[in-house]
mmCIF file of all heavy atoms in Angstrom:
data_model
loop_
_atom_site.group_PDB
_atom_site.id
_atom_site.type_symbol
_atom_site.label_atom_id
_atom_site.label_comp_id
_atom_site.label_asym_id
_atom_site.label_seq_id
_atom_site.Cartn_x
_atom_site.Cartn_y
_atom_site.Cartn_z
ATOM 1 N N TYR A 245 -4.200 38.910 1.262
ATOM 2 C CA TYR A 245 -3.781 38.813 2.670
ATOM 3 C C TYR A 245 -2.276 39.076 2.792
ATOM 4 O O TYR A 245 -1.831 39.847 3.649
ATOM 5 C CB TYR A 245 -4.132 37.426 3.234
ATOM 6 C CG TYR A 245 -3.496 37.185 4.574
ATOM 7 C CD1 TYR A 245 -3.995 37.812 5.716
ATOM 8 C CD2 TYR A 245 -2.368 36.369 4.697
ATOM 9 C CE1 TYR A 245 -3.390 37.626 6.950
ATOM 10 C CE2 TYR A 245 -1.761 36.182 5.926
ATOM 11 C CZ TYR A 245 -2.277 36.816 7.042
ATOM 12 O OH TYR A 245 -1.663 36.642 8.253
ATOM 13 N N ARG A 246 -1.500 38.485 1.905
ATOM 14 C CA ARG A 246 -0.033 38.598 2.000
ATOM 15 C C ARG A 246 0.419 40.051 1.844
ATOM 16 O O ARG A 246 1.166 40.569 2.680
ATOM 17 C CB ARG A 246 0.629 37.713 0.928
ATOM 18 C CG ARG A 246 2.129 37.618 1.033
ATOM 19 C CD ARG A 246 2.725 36.796 -0.110
ATOM 20 N NE ARG A 246 2.576 37.433 -1.417
ATOM 21 C CZ ARG A 246 3.297 38.464 -1.843
ATOM 22 N NH1 ARG A 246 4.236 38.976 -1.064
ATOM 23 N NH2 ARG A 246 3.094 38.978 -3.041
ATOM 24 N N VAL A 247 -0.048 40.726 0.807
ATOM 25 C CA VAL A 247 0.441 42.104 0.591
ATOM 26 C C VAL A 247 -0.087 43.046 1.683
ATOM 27 O O VAL A 247 0.628 43.965 2.112
ATOM 28 C CB VAL A 247 0.102 42.663 -0.824
ATOM 29 C CG1 VAL A 247 0.856 41.904 -1.894
ATOM 30 C CG2 VAL A 247 -1.392 42.691 -1.111
ATOM 31 N N THR A 248 -1.301 42.800 2.140
ATOM 32 C CA THR A 248 -1.837 43.673 3.203
ATOM 33 C C THR A 248 -1.064 43.442 4.490
ATOM 34 O O THR A 248 -0.720 44.386 5.209
ATOM 35 C CB THR A 248 -3.343 43.437 3.448
ATOM 36 O OG1 THR A 248 -4.013 43.367 2.206
ATOM 37 C CG2 THR A 248 -3.939 44.552 4.289
ATOM 38 N N ARG A 249 -0.777 42.175 4.769
ATOM 39 C CA ARG A 249 -0.055 41.849 6.009
ATOM 40 C C ARG A 249 1.311 42.546 6.016
ATOM 41 O O ARG A 249 1.742 43.100 7.041
ATOM 42 C CB ARG A 249 0.064 40.324 6.116
ATOM 43 C CG ARG A 249 0.690 39.803 7.354
ATOM 44 C CD ARG A 249 -0.106 40.226 8.603
ATOM 45 N NE ARG A 249 0.766 40.142 9.756
ATOM 46 C CZ ARG A 249 0.867 39.052 10.523
ATOM 47 N NH1 ARG A 249 0.096 38.017 10.304
ATOM 48 N NH2 ARG A 249 1.717 39.026 11.535
ATOM 49 N N GLU A 250 1.969 42.547 4.873
ATOM 50 C CA GLU A 250 3.279 43.226 4.797
ATOM 51 C C GLU A 250 3.122 44.718 5.073
ATOM 52 O O GLU A 250 3.916 45.322 5.800
ATOM 53 C CB GLU A 250 3.894 43.024 3.405
ATOM 54 C CG GLU A 250 4.635 41.700 3.295
ATOM 55 C CD GLU A 250 5.132 41.421 1.872
ATOM 56 O OE1 GLU A 250 5.281 42.378 1.073
ATOM 57 O OE2 GLU A 250 5.342 40.236 1.590
ATOM 58 N N ALA A 251 2.083 45.325 4.486
ATOM 59 C CA ALA A 251 1.868 46.766 4.682
ATOM 60 C C ALA A 251 1.482 47.072 6.129
ATOM 61 O O ALA A 251 1.931 48.078 6.712
ATOM 62 C CB ALA A 251 0.771 47.251 3.733
ATOM 63 N N VAL A 252 0.681 46.196 6.726
ATOM 64 C CA VAL A 252 0.262 46.382 8.127
ATOM 65 C C VAL A 252 1.478 46.253 9.045
ATOM 66 O O VAL A 252 1.680 47.074 9.955
ATOM 67 C CB VAL A 252 -0.833 45.345 8.489
ATOM 68 C CG1 VAL A 252 -1.049 45.242 9.991
ATOM 69 C CG2 VAL A 252 -2.144 45.682 7.786
ATOM 70 N N ASP A 253 2.313 45.251 8.795
ATOM 71 C CA ASP A 253 3.506 45.059 9.635
ATOM 72 C C ASP A 253 4.429 46.266 9.521
ATOM 73 O O ASP A 253 5.008 46.735 10.504
ATOM 74 C CB ASP A 253 4.266 43.785 9.224
ATOM 75 C CG ASP A 253 3.491 42.517 9.606
ATOM 76 O OD1 ASP A 253 2.504 42.638 10.369
ATOM 77 O OD2 ASP A 253 3.862 41.432 9.122
ATOM 78 N N ARG A 254 4.555 46.768 8.312
ATOM 79 C CA ARG A 254 5.402 47.927 8.057
ATOM 80 C C ARG A 254 4.881 49.134 8.847
ATOM 81 O O ARG A 254 5.628 49.852 9.502
ATOM 82 C CB ARG A 254 5.330 48.226 6.545
ATOM 83 C CG ARG A 254 6.498 48.897 6.008
ATOM 84 C CD ARG A 254 6.407 49.185 4.521
ATOM 85 N NE ARG A 254 7.142 50.416 4.363
ATOM 86 C CZ ARG A 254 6.593 51.610 4.258
ATOM 87 N NH1 ARG A 254 5.287 51.749 4.214
ATOM 88 N NH2 ARG A 254 7.343 52.681 4.195
ATOM 89 N N ALA A 255 3.577 49.338 8.777
ATOM 90 C CA ALA A 255 2.966 50.464 9.506
ATOM 91 C C ALA A 255 3.200 50.304 11.005
ATOM 92 O O ALA A 255 3.556 51.257 11.700
ATOM 93 C CB ALA A 255 1.471 50.527 9.189
ATOM 94 N N ARG A 256 3.043 49.084 11.501
ATOM 95 C CA ARG A 256 3.197 48.849 12.942
ATOM 96 C C ARG A 256 4.636 49.066 13.389
ATOM 97 O O ARG A 256 4.898 49.431 14.523
ATOM 98 C CB ARG A 256 2.714 47.434 13.304
ATOM 99 C CG ARG A 256 2.048 47.405 14.691
ATOM 100 C CD ARG A 256 1.619 46.007 15.112
ATOM 101 N NE ARG A 256 0.678 45.338 14.255
ATOM 102 C CZ ARG A 256 -0.634 45.584 14.226
ATOM 103 N NH1 ARG A 256 -1.153 46.488 15.034
ATOM 104 N NH2 ARG A 256 -1.419 44.932 13.405
ATOM 105 N N ARG A 257 5.576 48.831 12.466
ATOM 106 C CA ARG A 257 6.994 49.080 12.811
ATOM 107 C C ARG A 257 7.334 50.570 12.792
ATOM 108 O O ARG A 257 8.468 50.955 13.009
ATOM 109 C CB ARG A 257 7.906 48.376 11.793
ATOM 110 C CG ARG A 257 7.979 46.871 11.922
ATOM 111 C CD ARG A 257 9.167 46.299 11.143
ATOM 112 N NE ARG A 257 9.174 46.650 9.736
ATOM 113 C CZ ARG A 257 8.629 45.913 8.746
ATOM 114 N NH1 ARG A 257 8.022 44.783 9.043
ATOM 115 N NH2 ARG A 257 8.683 46.319 7.489
ATOM 116 N N GLY A 258 6.379 51.415 12.445
ATOM 117 C CA GLY A 258 6.630 52.860 12.426
ATOM 118 C C GLY A 258 7.160 53.360 11.095
ATOM 119 O O GLY A 258 7.691 54.469 11.009
ATOM 120 N N GLU A 259 6.981 52.547 10.026
ATOM 121 C CA GLU A 259 7.533 52.947 8.726
ATOM 122 C C GLU A 259 6.513 53.632 7.824
ATOM 123 O O GLU A 259 6.796 53.909 6.664
ATOM 124 C CB GLU A 259 8.174 51.725 8.049
ATOM 125 C CG GLU A 259 9.396 51.236 8.821
ATOM 126 C CD GLU A 259 9.896 49.889 8.345
ATOM 127 O OE1 GLU A 259 9.783 49.597 7.141
ATOM 128 O OE2 GLU A 259 10.379 49.117 9.188
ATOM 129 N N GLY A 260 5.338 53.908 8.338
ATOM 130 C CA GLY A 260 4.381 54.775 7.638
ATOM 131 C C GLY A 260 3.441 54.106 6.657
ATOM 132 O O GLY A 260 3.150 52.913 6.741
ATOM 133 N N VAL A 261 3.013 54.927 5.705
ATOM 134 C CA VAL A 261 1.905 54.581 4.804
ATOM 135 C C VAL A 261 2.345 53.640 3.667
ATOM 136 O O VAL A 261 3.454 53.769 3.152
ATOM 137 C CB VAL A 261 1.361 55.883 4.168
ATOM 138 C CG1 VAL A 261 0.257 55.611 3.149
ATOM 139 C CG2 VAL A 261 0.858 56.842 5.251
ATOM 140 N N THR A 262 1.454 52.733 3.282
ATOM 141 C CA THR A 262 1.619 51.969 2.031
ATOM 142 C C THR A 262 0.324 52.111 1.232
ATOM 143 O O THR A 262 -0.769 52.109 1.812
ATOM 144 C CB THR A 262 1.847 50.461 2.300
ATOM 145 O OG1 THR A 262 2.957 50.308 3.179
ATOM 146 C CG2 THR A 262 2.111 49.695 1.009
ATOM 147 N N LEU A 263 0.468 52.262 -0.079
ATOM 148 C CA LEU A 263 -0.690 52.279 -0.972
ATOM 149 C C LEU A 263 -0.765 50.929 -1.689
ATOM 150 O O LEU A 263 0.197 50.512 -2.334
ATOM 151 C CB LEU A 263 -0.527 53.399 -2.001
ATOM 152 C CG LEU A 263 -1.679 53.512 -2.979
ATOM 153 C CD1 LEU A 263 -2.620 54.614 -2.547
ATOM 154 C CD2 LEU A 263 -1.202 53.826 -4.369
ATOM 155 N N LEU A 264 -1.882 50.242 -1.549
ATOM 156 C CA LEU A 264 -2.066 48.956 -2.236
ATOM 157 C C LEU A 264 -3.129 49.120 -3.301
ATOM 158 O O LEU A 264 -4.210 49.641 -3.013
ATOM 159 C CB LEU A 264 -2.549 47.878 -1.256
ATOM 160 C CG LEU A 264 -1.695 47.562 -0.044
ATOM 161 C CD1 LEU A 264 -2.405 46.509 0.818
ATOM 162 C CD2 LEU A 264 -0.335 47.045 -0.491
ATOM 163 N N GLU A 265 -2.842 48.696 -4.496
ATOM 164 C CA GLU A 265 -3.865 48.683 -5.544
ATOM 165 C C GLU A 265 -4.273 47.233 -5.785
ATOM 166 O O GLU A 265 -3.446 46.414 -6.210
ATOM 167 C CB GLU A 265 -3.325 49.294 -6.854
ATOM 168 C CG GLU A 265 -4.365 49.285 -7.963
ATOM 169 C CD GLU A 265 -3.809 49.725 -9.326
ATOM 170 O OE1 GLU A 265 -2.575 49.818 -9.478
ATOM 171 O OE2 GLU A 265 -4.627 49.946 -10.248
ATOM 172 N N LEU A 266 -5.518 46.912 -5.506
ATOM 173 C CA LEU A 266 -6.009 45.545 -5.706
ATOM 174 C C LEU A 266 -6.825 45.499 -6.985
ATOM 175 O O LEU A 266 -7.827 46.204 -7.122
ATOM 176 C CB LEU A 266 -6.869 45.112 -4.506
ATOM 177 C CG LEU A 266 -6.170 45.170 -3.137
ATOM 178 C CD1 LEU A 266 -7.134 44.718 -2.037
ATOM 179 C CD2 LEU A 266 -4.905 44.314 -3.128
ATOM 180 N N MET A 267 -6.391 44.672 -7.917
ATOM 181 C CA MET A 267 -7.045 44.577 -9.225
ATOM 182 C C MET A 267 -8.219 43.602 -9.135
ATOM 183 O O MET A 267 -8.050 42.432 -8.788
ATOM 184 C CB MET A 267 -6.048 44.080 -10.283
ATOM 185 C CG MET A 267 -4.816 44.940 -10.402
ATOM 186 S SD MET A 267 -5.196 46.676 -10.714
ATOM 187 C CE MET A 267 -5.947 46.555 -12.335
ATOM 188 N N THR A 268 -9.394 44.128 -9.444
ATOM 189 C CA THR A 268 -10.582 43.288 -9.353
ATOM 190 C C THR A 268 -11.606 43.755 -10.380
ATOM 191 O O THR A 268 -11.255 44.520 -11.295
ATOM 192 C CB THR A 268 -11.126 43.276 -7.898
ATOM 193 O OG1 THR A 268 -12.222 42.384 -7.800
ATOM 194 C CG2 THR A 268 -11.566 44.665 -7.432
ATOM 195 N N TYR A 269 -12.846 43.312 -10.234
ATOM 196 C CA TYR A 269 -13.869 43.678 -11.212
ATOM 197 C C TYR A 269 -15.239 43.694 -10.538
ATOM 198 O O TYR A 269 -15.587 42.755 -9.817
ATOM 199 C CB TYR A 269 -13.862 42.682 -12.386
ATOM 200 C CG TYR A 269 -14.834 43.062 -13.487
ATOM 201 C CD1 TYR A 269 -14.485 44.032 -14.410
ATOM 202 C CD2 TYR A 269 -16.097 42.475 -13.561
ATOM 203 C CE1 TYR A 269 -15.384 44.411 -15.406
ATOM 204 C CE2 TYR A 269 -16.991 42.846 -14.547
ATOM 205 C CZ TYR A 269 -16.627 43.818 -15.470
ATOM 206 O OH TYR A 269 -17.511 44.198 -16.438
ATOM 207 N N ARG A 270 -16.002 44.760 -10.814
ATOM 208 C CA ARG A 270 -17.345 44.897 -10.233
ATOM 209 C C ARG A 270 -18.350 44.191 -11.141
ATOM 210 O O ARG A 270 -18.661 44.686 -12.209
ATOM 211 C CB ARG A 270 -17.680 46.396 -10.116
ATOM 212 C CG ARG A 270 -18.842 46.712 -9.200
ATOM 213 C CD ARG A 270 -19.294 48.152 -9.389
ATOM 214 N NE ARG A 270 -19.987 48.300 -10.659
ATOM 215 C CZ ARG A 270 -20.208 49.454 -11.298
ATOM 216 N NH1 ARG A 270 -19.790 50.576 -10.781
ATOM 217 N NH2 ARG A 270 -20.846 49.488 -12.451
ATOM 218 N N ARG A 271 -18.829 43.030 -10.732
ATOM 219 C CA ARG A 271 -19.704 42.248 -11.623
ATOM 220 C C ARG A 271 -21.162 42.698 -11.579
ATOM 221 O O ARG A 271 -21.951 42.296 -12.435
ATOM 222 C CB ARG A 271 -19.604 40.756 -11.274
ATOM 223 C CG ARG A 271 -18.237 40.228 -11.635
ATOM 224 C CD ARG A 271 -18.105 38.759 -11.912
ATOM 225 N NE ARG A 271 -19.037 37.841 -11.427
ATOM 226 C CZ ARG A 271 -18.762 36.848 -10.578
ATOM 227 N NH1 ARG A 271 -17.542 36.705 -10.083
ATOM 228 N NH2 ARG A 271 -19.687 36.007 -10.235
ATOM 229 N N LYS A 272 -21.532 43.492 -10.592
ATOM 230 C CA LYS A 272 -22.882 44.041 -10.564
ATOM 231 C C LYS A 272 -22.805 45.540 -10.863
ATOM 232 O O LYS A 272 -21.720 46.119 -10.910
ATOM 233 C CB LYS A 272 -23.502 43.821 -9.183
ATOM 234 C CG LYS A 272 -23.740 42.377 -8.846
ATOM 235 C CD LYS A 272 -24.831 41.748 -9.690
ATOM 236 C CE LYS A 272 -26.175 42.309 -9.334
ATOM 237 N NZ LYS A 272 -27.290 41.562 -9.914
#
Side-chain angles (χ1 to χ4, degrees):
Y245 169 75
R246 187 184 67 75
V247 293
T248 315
R249 184 60 201 268
E250 276 174 22
V252 165
D253 290 348
R254 207 180 148 260
R256 215 183 301 282
R257 287 195 304 268
E259 294 169 33
V261 177
T262 305
L263 180 99
L264 302 177
E265 180 187 12
L266 303 180
M267 303 305 295
T268 184
Y269 184 80
R270 196 193 73 198
R271 292 205 338 242
K272 294 291 291 192

